[in-house]
Amino acid sequence: MLKRPGAGTNIFVFGTTGELIKIFPLITRLESEGLPLELWCTAQQVEELPAAIESLQIQTTTTWLTNGVKGRSLHTKVDVIKWLSMVSLALVKRRKEIRATTRRGAVFVHGDTMTTAIGAFFGRLFRGKVIHIEAGMRSGDWRNPFPEELSRRLVARLSDLNYAPGATAVSNLANARGRTVNTHVNTICDALKIAMNTDKGVAQSTFGLVSIHRSELYENQYEFTRFLECLTDHGKDHQLVFINHPVTAKRITDLNLDRLFDGTLISRIDKQQYFDFINLLGRAQYVVTDSGGLQQECEITGHPCLVHRAVTESVDIARKNIVLSRLSLDVLRDFLHDPLKFAVPFEPNTPNTTNIMFDDLNHHDILAR
């Protein structure tokens, strides 16, 4: 239920579990302060989000702008087209309410998803103050990752306030239209601290953790097949836990590649809720992923992490535990041969990005009250 016209509120727009995980510390901070708050969900990942919202113990009721595509998450390009039209129509229908409620307050978007660009565009169109969390990250190639790199560049032209995770991200926003604030680290740091008991450190087991879900890999049949062949060959002698992201699992089945896992030590498990996943990460020895979020978590925990992508917008080369494969199987094989040589110490003492953002919002009197 939206606030009455003129009352003002603070709107968070999200559509994926990754976005939600990275913004929930700020959401819960606003909740604890008793500030007016709206959560608007575009339902890109409608199948996963309800359980994620519940697991993160978010109290504010979520307004669902769509129901995904007939109740399912987006899996195909056709799904994306249908979803874009439905989300746009839903926001157009709310234009008067958005204009009224954001006269005092702001529209928060996060990262680089299609939801990020849509939320920023409509926030700007309807005269809201657009705030971009995790702004300024760039790969330097508009084609990779696509469309995420384009989304970030577009939002930089729309946002009034950019919260950028580090000096490089800040410098990338030198010509942005909005004010930029350095949060020093990614907002995933606060989420990770909440999920982990940092006093106990990281208790490791003997398995490697694999999490693959980006379309640029699984949609390329040749590269995806070669990757799985390399991984399952390693899995004949080494324990791996393979996260069955729904889109990845479906692609494996569609390509008749489930057979590759036969006779291996690979355990395939369903996608986990965040706190359960971080517990799993804490027990793993090393990680193979194409996820930017998991990469950022490994930068903090010190886990050896192979990022199987052509490019990434968030590699911190100073953190020697992060290895970018650039889709090279030789790099992947070298990493799997001795992943522990890339391990670095656990770093729990990172800046509190939630406090930085909240204090800045207060100082500039941006939040609706």
Side-chain angles (χ1 to χ4, degrees):
M1 190 68 164
L2 292 172
K3 299 288 179 183
R4 66 185 183 278
T9 193
N10 307 293
I11 301 173
F12 285 77
V13 183
F14 64 94
T16 70
T17 55
E19 288 173 304
L20 179 62
I21 287 165
K22 291 184 179 182
I23 61 175
F24 95 88
L26 184 59
I27 289 173
T28 55
R29 178 64 184 274
L30 267 61
E31 286 180 334
S32 70
E33 299 287 338
L35 299 178
L37 181 62
E38 303 274 352
L39 304 182
W40 288 16
C41 184
T42 66
Q44 276 187 246
Q45 296 179 344
V46 69
E47 295 170 75
E48 298 95 331
L49 277 165
I53 293 168
E54 182 179 0
S55 72
L56 295 173
Q57 301 179 0
I58 294 171
Q59 302 301 310
T60 304
T61 300
T62 299
T63 297
W64 296 86
L65 300 177
T66 74
N67 190 32
V69 177
K70 296 182 179 179
R72 71 173 188 274
S73 302
L74 311 187
H75 296 305
T76 68
K77 292 182 175 67
V78 174
D79 287 344
V80 171
I81 294 170
K82 291 179 179 178
W83 169 85
L84 282 171
S85 63
M86 289 187 293
V87 172
S88 298
L89 181 60
L91 287 169
V92 167
K93 288 181 177 178
R94 295 175 180 273
R95 62 188 182 276
K96 292 182 180 179
E97 297 157 305
I98 296 174
R99 284 176 176 172
T101 56
T102 56
R103 282 182 199 147
R104 188 72 181 82
V107 177
F108 291 81
V109 296
H110 174 276
D112 57 11
T113 71
M114 292 178 289
T115 291
T116 312
I118 291 171
F121 176 75
F122 278 97
R124 183 73 181 163
L125 183 64
F126 299 143
R127 304 171 191 168
K129 189 176 290 293
V130 177
I131 299 176
H132 188 197
I133 300 172
E134 195 189 88
M137 296 170 68
R138 300 285 186 273
S139 70
D141 181 356
W142 67 267
R143 298 162 297 182
N144 288 297
F146 181 85
E148 289 88 342
E149 181 74 4
L150 286 180
S151 175
R152 288 185 180 276
R153 297 186 187 192
L154 171 63
V155 176
R157 297 176 179 273
L158 299 172
S159 57
D160 298 281
L161 174 57
N162 304 293
Y163 287 123
T168 300
V170 170
S171 66
N172 289 335
L173 293 166
N175 296 319
R177 67 174 298 276
R179 182 170 63 89
T180 298
V181 175
N182 190 349
T183 62
H184 303 287
V185 293
N186 197 285
T187 56
I188 196 66
C189 293
D190 289 355
L192 188 60
K193 289 174 190 176
I194 294 171
M196 294 181 68
N197 185 341
T198 55
D199 292 335
K200 294 182 179 179
V202 180
Q204 291 184 341
S205 185
T206 59
F207 63 86
L209 181 62
V210 183
S211 177
I212 298 292
H213 63 81
R214 295 181 66 88
S215 61
E216 55 259 49
L217 177 58
Y218 69 70
E219 286 186 353
N220 186 322
Q221 180 176 346
Y222 177 70
E223 292 290 352
F224 188 51
T225 301
R226 292 174 73 226
F227 166 78
L228 288 179
E229 288 173 343
C230 182
L231 189 73
T232 52
D233 184 61
H234 176 75
K236 292 175 182 177
D237 302 305
H238 300 84
Q239 289 185 323
L240 295 174
V241 174
F242 187 97
I243 303 297
N244 266 335
H245 292 274
V247 290
T248 310
K250 183 179 185 300
R251 184 63 168 163
I252 290 172
T253 299
D254 289 346
L255 295 176
N256 193 30
L257 297 176
D258 292 282
R259 55 183 170 76
L260 295 177
F261 293 84
D262 296 341
T264 70
L265 300 176
I266 300 176
S267 300
R268 297 175 68 180
I269 66 172
D270 291 340
K271 183 179 177 181
Q272 307 286 290
Q273 293 304 324
Y274 188 61
F275 292 109
D276 293 332
F277 179 77
I278 293 304
N279 180 269
L280 186 66
L281 172 63
R283 293 185 287 114
Q285 281 193 323
Y286 57 95
V287 172
V288 175
T289 189
D290 58 2
S291 166
L294 182 49
Q295 170 196 322
Q296 293 155 2
E297 288 156 346
C298 288
E299 289 176 3
I300 303 165
T301 65
H303 281 79
C305 177
L306 186 286
V307 183
H308 198 60
R309 289 167 62 171
V311 297
T312 180
E313 64 276 76
S314 55
V315 160
D316 182 352
I317 301 302
R319 295 293 285 167
K320 300 299 183 183
N321 62 314
I322 307 298
V323 178
L324 178 63
S325 73
R326 301 192 185 280
L327 299 180
S328 167
L329 293 186
D330 288 337
V331 174
L332 174 60
R333 291 190 189 98
D334 177 69
F335 176 85
L336 292 173
H337 177 70
D338 185 13
L340 295 186
K341 71 180 181 182
F342 298 102
V344 300
F346 179 45
E347 290 195 357
N349 298 318
T350 55
N352 189 301
T353 58
T354 300
N355 286 346
I356 292 171
M357 292 187 291
F358 187 78
D359 290 347
D360 179 73
L361 292 165
N362 268 338
H363 178 74
H364 290 276
D365 195 28
I366 294 171
L367 296 170
R369 297 184 179 278

